[in-house]
Amino acid sequence: MKLFGWFGDKALHRGVHVPECKEQTAHLPIRRMNFPPVVIVPMSQHAGTPAIPIVKEGQEVVRGEPIARPDGFVSVPMHAPVTGKVERIALAPSARGDLSLAIYIRPYPAASQEVLYGEPQNIDQMSPEEIVRAVQETGVVGLGGAAFPTHVKMKLPEGRTVDTVVVNGCECEPYLTTDHRVMVEQPRAVIHGTRIAMKALGAPRAIIGVEDNKPDAIQALRDALAAESAITVEAVPTKYPQGAEKMLIEVLLGREVPSGGLPSEVGVAVFNVATLAQIGDLLPRRQGLIERVITIAGTAVRKPGNYLTVLGTPIRWALEQAGATEQAASVILGGPMMGPTISSLDVPITKGVTGILVMARDSFNSRHTIFPCIRCGACVEVCPLHLNPSRLGMLARKGRYEEMESDFHLMDCFECGCCSYVCPSHIPLVQYFRVAKQMNRERKARHAAASA
Amino acid sequence: MNSQAPSRPPLSTADGIKMVRLLGTVSFVCGLLIVITHRGTLSAIGRNQERLTREAVAELLPGMQRQVVYSVHGGELSKGEGSDRLAGKIYAGYDASGKLLGLVMEASERGYADMIKAMYAYSPSKRCITGFKVLEMKETPGLGDKIATDKNFLENFKQLVYDPDHPIVAVKAGAKKNNWEIDAISGATISSRAVGRMLNRSIREMAPLIERNLRRIEKGE
Amino acid sequence: MNNQSLGHIFIDALLINNFVLSVFLGICPFIGVSAKLATAWRMGVAVIFVTLVSSLLAYGTNALLVVLNAEYLRIISFIVIIASTVQLVEMFIKKTSPALFRALGIYLPLITTNCAVLGVALFQTSRQYDFAQSVVFAAGASFGFTIALVLMAVIREKLELSDIPDTVRGTALVLLLAGILSLAFMGFSGMGVES
Amino acid sequence: MTGAHLVQAPSPSENYETFFNGLWKQNPVFVQVLGMCPTLAVTNSVRNALAMGAATLFVLVCSNMLISLVRKRVPKQVRIATYILIIATFVTIVDYLIKALSIAVYKALGPFIALIVVNCMILGRAEAFASRNPPGKAILDGLGMGLGFSFALLCLGAVREVLGAGTFLGVPLFGPRFQPWVLFLLPPGGFLTLALWLLVFRAWQSRKERKQEQWRAAA
Amino acid sequence: MPPLAPEIELRTSPHFHSNRSVEMIMRNVVYALLPLCAFSVWNFGLSALALILVSVLSCLVTEHLFCWLSRRKSSLGDWSVTITGILLALTLPPGFPLWMVAVGGFVSVGLGKMAFGGLGFNVFNPALVGRAFLQACFPTAITAYSPALAKNRFTEFIPTTFTPPFLQPPPLADWIERVRVDAFSGATPLMQQKFDKVTADWQPLFFGTVSGSAGETPALLILLCGAYLAARNFMDWRIAFSMLASAFVSGAAFHFLNPAVYPHPWFVLLSGGLMLGAVFMATDMVASPVTPTGVWIYGALMGLITVVIRNLGGLPEGVMYAILLGNAVSPLIDNLTQPRVYGVHPRRRTA
């Protein structure tokens, strides 16, 4: 709660101001990372059904060649990130902790790594349906972290229209600067991708929302746009979690996505800038997604920066390249607000990984005693969804998970972490909510099993 | 009581008669018991009540030998308790020689906690209140309830003048200047003032009636 | 005759001499039915209903008893009135609003032994309230009961999320809370008395 | 409204047990939490507490006896009505008796004498015990419960009078400069004192349980 | 890259954390209360100092005792009990017998806080529970006020301060006669207004050089300390503001209905414990609602009750009762004003 409200309309009213910590990498141009000795391509790098391998062990693959086909509509193909030999197809650990099927490819050290696969296609002559199919072929998923297949977002349910495409260039998580660098270095790809998305959805206009702590990105995009009128670039005041799609829609358009609903219900589709940059880049050449930009930063890394990394690169390799120091004590996949710490370095970088933070011990003041909730209401003030984390937390402590869902909208929470961030009692609210959601899911599954 | 079964089986006529008979018997026994108690205690209760008021009146009118009760009906005075137990009452007290010592009346007023009920003695000849006694109250113990016990406070009512031009009123402790004022108990202003108001209202209502009927009362008719 | 104004009587029964918190009537349901807000609220509504009806009936009955000079039957007739009022209200609600009946159903029989209801009838008689005063008094008393019950229920629901020490849990806790609430309600004493 | 207690019939093995059950083990106030209203309302002095206890004891014993006498003839359907009728009768009787004996006590207890009718303890004993046992036992049960109730009232009354007024049965205990804790005479004091007694009772019981467990563990 | 192996840190997000903590908030409230304590000592002398010290000490000891009894770690470190102690002292008359203060401290912490499970779980403001207990217990002693700026206040104690335990405090009238510097008669400005319809000037009320409870008099200083807390976001200014505003508005309504009886709204605002209550006690986070709409309703309700009790009730002061009643209603307010969750149409209430 602040003494003075924000009277400007285009800003997030809730949420928090977190330390940005972006100066470490924001100015560093994207560099290519060396290929690892082995790449691990999991079949499930996206939300939806896992892909099905179409290669065999021992088979040679060319960089860019499809190696797995989608299983159904809500699924995407995988492409070989490197030219090399399929070493084995086996279960591999993932960052979530469980095992999933993956294709291990050993790159040929001497082979050309130019992408030879793919052929040009003329997008202007394609129908929206054809674009959706083409996007699925590229294997592009939401690169902002959610990893939801992009073509699914481009396919509207019957009778629904989208009037605005919102391009999410906020990147509100501290430390991360991948989207920032993509906007600065590839503004044309972003805009091209935006046009493709508009065409696929039949949307007459698009807004690129960029937080005002990235003036160079805004400038680059505006320069690339020239006199174009259908696409506009809007600077929004920096605040976390503005990069969440519901929040950005509210800030830019003043529309509220119904609880449990999709943005298309209010005529909006939201895409991450990096996602659209990839589409703008890959679609005309009919190529697949094989690499992405990640930020490697943190307090225990010698060469922080934005690295163009082939998908499937083991994190251990990536950290060796960036030079993690002796002090490194924890590795966070993604940003410090929502990213999980990982326990194993032998998991690969997948399509949804936006960054890797290598932190020295005690980089965060996280060793506090937990006090009981003193009902200060700070969490209620910051929750972007207007939930009541204080009450939710107290219910969670007593194990009253069902009530949390039925009466206090637990399922709306997207775990942005604002409540935990501000809590003076240091209650790990978000963690409570994760547990509660999981317990509810398990209970429902049990019920379903029992009634079946 | 949740043990009461909500569903009842249908009753036959014989059952019904049995039930009525039983209830009748029980009611009869109960009624008998009540009536016996009522009859048995009636005189004791009457004596008790009479003694209570008598003692209170006697305390307010020292030296009283004989007491006559008048009841007030619509601005008229009539001798005896009367049938209407809600009517106001005036107790007249006489000394051994039959001279009127004073009149005792009841008054009540909202105090700090609940109604304060009190009796006071009034001397028609001196036109002043000569005694005061609290009958019932729930004033704060140790504070407001001093109106019944505080010596200095009760001293006020030894000679509190009824003056038609000046209302009886409680003033701040120690600020009493006129003999129609009451020195309040410090810290118990509200209770003290309630007493003042009570007396003022009651005496203003009763004094004209008493003036009119003074002759009768003096003779004890 | 009692000369108090209707407003006084209402405020007095509602706040100053709240039936539960300072006259100690209806303590059993106050302790027993105050664990959940929803049930407390329904109990409160049911009590308001029954109290108002039985207060009217008790007023009439008392007048009759006075005329017959049979005041020794007062207690018996009052308790009979209340028991039958509860039955009547139950039947009436069942006929007119089955939904309400489902909500209130299980609370209605409990009201028979709620001393607040009998208390209203006895107090209005002993204080010699007239008809309007009786109604207002019954309304104030039953609203006061409901207020206390609802307040206690929300507080107890809140405390369910707290780490109450084991020794205090249960009736003792409710009584402690009632004590503090009663302290807070003392602020109303002397209300409306000229100072 | 603790219905569970109402159907808890005491073990009928011994008269002795019947009597002491109510006095201590199943104490209506401290254990069963019944009859709260008079417990709180009239315990601001020992005298009132004792008078109330005696009145309740009288009603309880008499109604238990009468109900036990007619128990075999009462059909289920009119059971409660009969009990209430009987209880109300004895309450009326006690009302008049107190009025005849002492107006002062009568005034102090006020409508709470009449409210004995709705004391759930009495109806509870009628339903749970008197209606299932012969008169002798019913009287014993009534005595036990009534004395247990009076004992609880005395406990409260003693604390409240001693602290609140510095007196016991009207006799000053501490001399004139004692500062009375007026709160204990006021309604909040009733709640707090009862809460305190319940805590004491609870603590005592849990200690006993702990000891028994230890004893059992040792054996 | 060899590290990470032996003692890897596994945390859950968010890894960032603001630097605020309960201990820090509570400590700052204590800082904000210290000027009030200092003023109180200057205004009332040694007795006020003894009062504050004994009150804090008894609260600390009680909390420690209860922690020990329940075999928990001592919670003195979170400073919250210190606040309770100071607040309790500031609401008592400066010459309040110390043994009663100790009783009050014990009741505040024992009954008002630890019985409910300690910090974060108390339903009512602990200091006010203690104060209400004392008010009901010792109505005479708690209305025995001593004059402000008395002579010799730094060299002698108010005679009632060292009353032996369990005995009544001696009467103060003679002592007041001896030490007073103005026409003080033992009544605070509020009492004078209530019973004698004498309304005090605003300057002494504003600067606090009047009789009253130990820390409630300096309106200006309380506002400044509150402003510090509000500016550093350690206090919900909306509660204090809405309570004061509502008291002002309802006070004005009464005043303009009958100016002869009811005081001017400025007097309502500056006199008695309203400022202290609104700024430091109504804003007690634990006992107030958390919802944004709720806090406004909560404050407004307390302001209204304060004025109603002051103007219509039997007591000169109603802030304490108003806040306790507000505390009691606050869970209900919380339930009824749950924020409308983003994307949930139409407005749905959760009970």
Side-chain angles (χ1 to χ4, degrees), chain A residues 1 246 256-257 259 320 329 336 339 341 361 364 375 381 385 388 391 407 420-421 423-426 431 434, chain E residues 1 4 7 9 11-18 21-22 233 238 286 288 334-335 338 340 342-343 350:
Chain A
M1 179 208 48
K246 285 179 175 180
E256 216 172 87
V257 181
S259 164
E320 276 165 19
T341 49
R361 193 162 291 282
F364 306 109
R375 299 167 47 81
E381 297 290 337
L385 290 178
N388 188 341
R391 178 75 74 94
D407 292 355
S420 296
Y421 175 79
C423 180
S425 292
H426 311 294
Q431 187 57 21
R434 285 192 196 110
Chain E
M1 187 200 126
L4 266 176
E7 29 182 339
E9 275 187 322
R11 284 179 312 261
T12 55
S13 65
H15 308 282
F16 264 174
H17 204 288
S18 71
S21 71
V22 170
N233 206 1
R238 295 169 301 183
V286 182
S288 52
D334 238 347
N335 277 352
Q338 283 299 318
R340 191 186 64 84
Y342 174 95
T350 52

Side-chain angles (χ1 to χ4, degrees), chain B residues 1-5 8-9 11 15 18-19 22-23 26-27 29-31 33-34 37-38 41-42 44-45 48-49 51-52 135-136 138-142, chain D residues 1 3 6-7 66 70 73-75 77-82 85-86 88-90 92-93 96-97 99-103 107 120 123-124 127 182 185-186:
Chain B
M1 301 286 80
N2 44 12
S3 49
Q4 198 170 2
R8 285 154 198 188
L11 296 170
D15 280 342
K18 208 175 125 197
M19 263 161 62
L22 176 99
L23 276 178
V26 171
S27 311
V29 173
C30 291
L33 283 171
I34 292 178
T37 322
H38 182 57
T41 53
L42 201 57
I45 292 172
N48 270 342
Q49 235 145 15
R51 204 180 61 213
L52 202 71
L135 298 177
E136 272 178 48
K138 283 188 188 159
E139 300 305 280
T140 321
Chain D
M1 298 292 98
L6 298 183
V7 289
L66 196 56
V70 300
R73 293 166 194 277
V74 183
Q77 294 83 1
V78 291
R79 201 179 68 235
I80 300 286
T82 318
L85 191 64
I86 291 172
T89 303
F90 286 111
T92 311
I93 291 172
Y96 278 102
L97 284 179
K99 222 194 269 185
L101 290 172
S102 163
I103 287 274
K107 283 203 166 154
C120 10
L123 196 60
E127 170 79 8
V182 175
L185 299 182
L186 300 173

Side-chain angles (χ1 to χ4, degrees), chain A residues 1-2 19 21 174 246 250 255-259 316 319-320 324-325 328-332 336-339 341-343 345 361-362 364-367 371-376 380-381 385-388 391 397 407-409 417 420-426 431 434, chain E residues 1-4 7-23 25-26 73 77-78 117-121 227 230-231 233 235-238 285-292 295 330-331 334-335 338-345 348 350-351:
Chain A
M1 179 208 48
K2 280 267 152 25
C21 307
K246 285 179 175 180
E250 192 188 17
R255 298 181 195 171
E256 216 172 87
V257 181
S259 164
R316 187 180 296 280
L319 295 189
E320 276 165 19
T325 66
S330 65
V331 175
I332 299 165
M337 292 301 281
M338 291 180 75
T341 49
I342 51 171
S343 52
L345 295 181
R361 193 162 291 282
D362 298 328
F364 306 109
N365 48 350
S366 56
R367 286 163 184 261
F371 283 98
C373 172
I374 57 164
R375 299 167 47 81
C376 64
V380 182
E381 297 290 337
L385 290 178
H386 304 211
L387 298 171
N388 188 341
R391 178 75 74 94
R397 241 170 53 96
D407 292 355
F408 294 95
H409 307 277
S420 296
Y421 175 79
V422 295
C423 180
S425 292
H426 311 294
Q431 187 57 21
R434 285 192 196 110
Chain E
M1 187 200 126
L4 266 176
E7 29 182 339
I8 186 166
E9 275 187 322
L10 284 180
R11 284 179 312 261
T12 55
S13 65
H15 308 282
F16 264 174
H17 204 288
S18 71
N19 56 4
R20 298 159 60 88
S21 71
V22 170
E23 185 265 349
I25 296 176
M26 299 294 174
K73 223 181 101 210
D78 62 35
L119 176 68
F121 302 124
N233 206 1
M235 177 193 101
D236 198 336
W237 64 273
R238 295 169 301 183
M285 292 166 172
V286 182
S288 52
V290 294
T291 60
V295 292
S330 104
D334 238 347
N335 277 352
Q338 283 299 318
R340 191 186 64 84
V341 171
Y342 174 95
V344 177
H345 298 285
R348 215 165 61 196
T350 52

Side-chain angles (χ1 to χ4, degrees), chain E:
Chain E
M1 187 200 126
L4 266 176
E7 29 182 339
I8 186 166
E9 275 187 322
L10 284 180
R11 284 179 312 261
T12 55
S13 65
H15 308 282
F16 264 174
H17 204 288
S18 71
N19 56 4
R20 298 159 60 88
S21 71
V22 170
E23 185 265 349
M24 175 188 184
I25 296 176
M26 299 294 174
R27 194 157 30 82
N28 272 282
V29 176
V30 172
Y31 293 159
L33 283 168
L34 287 178
L36 293 182
C37 297
F39 180 88
S40 174
V41 174
W42 178 75
N43 202 18
F44 295 110
L46 285 177
S47 278
L49 184 65
L51 174 77
I52 293 165
L53 290 179
V54 169
S55 171
V56 172
L57 194 71
S58 74
C59 285
L60 288 173
V61 168
T62 311
E63 175 127 335
H64 197 77
L65 178 78
F66 274 89
C67 285
W68 177 76
L69 277 178
S70 55
R71 295 173 185 81
R72 269 192 292 179
K73 223 181 101 210
S74 174
S75 48
L76 300 186
D78 62 35
W79 291 91
S80 65
V81 70
T82 315
I83 300 179
T84 302
I86 298 178
L87 282 179
L88 175 68
L90 295 185
T91 57
L92 294 171
F96 201 60
L98 294 181
W99 74 268
M100 294 183 186
V101 178
V103 169
F106 179 79
V107 172
S108 292
V109 177
L111 176 63
K113 186 175 172 192
M114 301 313 276
F116 300 110
L119 176 68
F121 302 124
N122 49 301
V123 180
F124 301 92
N125 183 316
L128 288 180
V129 170
R131 170 64 155 86
F133 184 92
L134 291 176
Q135 167 112 44
C137 238
F138 312 119
T140 329
I142 212 160
T143 43
Y145 287 99
S146 50
L149 302 173
K151 290 175 226 159
N152 306 336
R153 65 185 186 279
F154 296 120
T155 51
E156 66 174 311
F157 287 93
I158 301 170
T160 46
T161 297
F162 289 108
T163 309
F166 301 105
L167 296 190
Q168 286 172 5
L172 267 183
D174 295 341
W175 178 80
I176 290 174
E177 195 64 38
R178 189 160 58 77
V179 299
R180 69 179 179 187
V181 289
D182 52 10
F184 180 77
S185 65
T188 62
L190 259 183
M191 289 155 98
Q192 286 177 335
Q193 200 286 323
K194 176 98 186 165
F195 299 121
D196 309 319
K197 309 294 170 228
V198 177
T199 307
D201 283 340
W202 70 270
Q203 290 107 325
L205 289 176
F206 193 60
F207 295 111
T209 55
V210 290
S211 167
S213 295
E216 69 176 19
T217 54
L220 174 67
L221 194 60
I222 295 170
L223 278 181
L224 287 177
C225 295
Y228 163 77
L229 287 181
R232 294 207 51 192
N233 206 1
F234 292 130
M235 177 193 101
D236 198 336
W237 64 273
R238 295 169 301 183
I239 294 176
F241 178 80
S242 67
M243 182 168 176
L244 293 174
S246 136
F248 187 84
V249 170
S250 40
F254 272 104
H255 178 70
F256 292 116
L257 277 178
N258 190 351
V261 177
Y262 302 123
H264 197 273
W266 283 116
F267 180 81
V268 171
L269 219 52
L270 295 176
S271 62
L274 183 63
M275 281 287 171
L276 185 71
V279 172
F280 285 103
M281 288 185 261
T283 51
D284 178 354
M285 292 166 172
V286 182
S288 52
V290 294
T291 60
T293 338
V295 292
W296 288 106
I297 299 175
Y298 173 72
L301 185 77
M302 290 186 297
L304 180 70
I305 297 179
T306 305
V307 172
V308 166
I309 292 181
R310 276 190 187 180
N311 283 348
L312 301 179
L315 294 162
E317 180 57 303
V319 174
M320 171 179 80
Y321 295 108
I323 296 176
L324 284 175
L325 290 166
N327 291 165
V329 184
S330 104
L332 188 63
I333 297 178
D334 238 347
N335 277 352
L336 297 179
T337 58
Q338 283 299 318
R340 191 186 64 84
V341 171
Y342 174 95
V344 177
H345 298 285
R347 279 160 189 268
R348 215 165 61 196
R349 273 180 186 167
T350 52

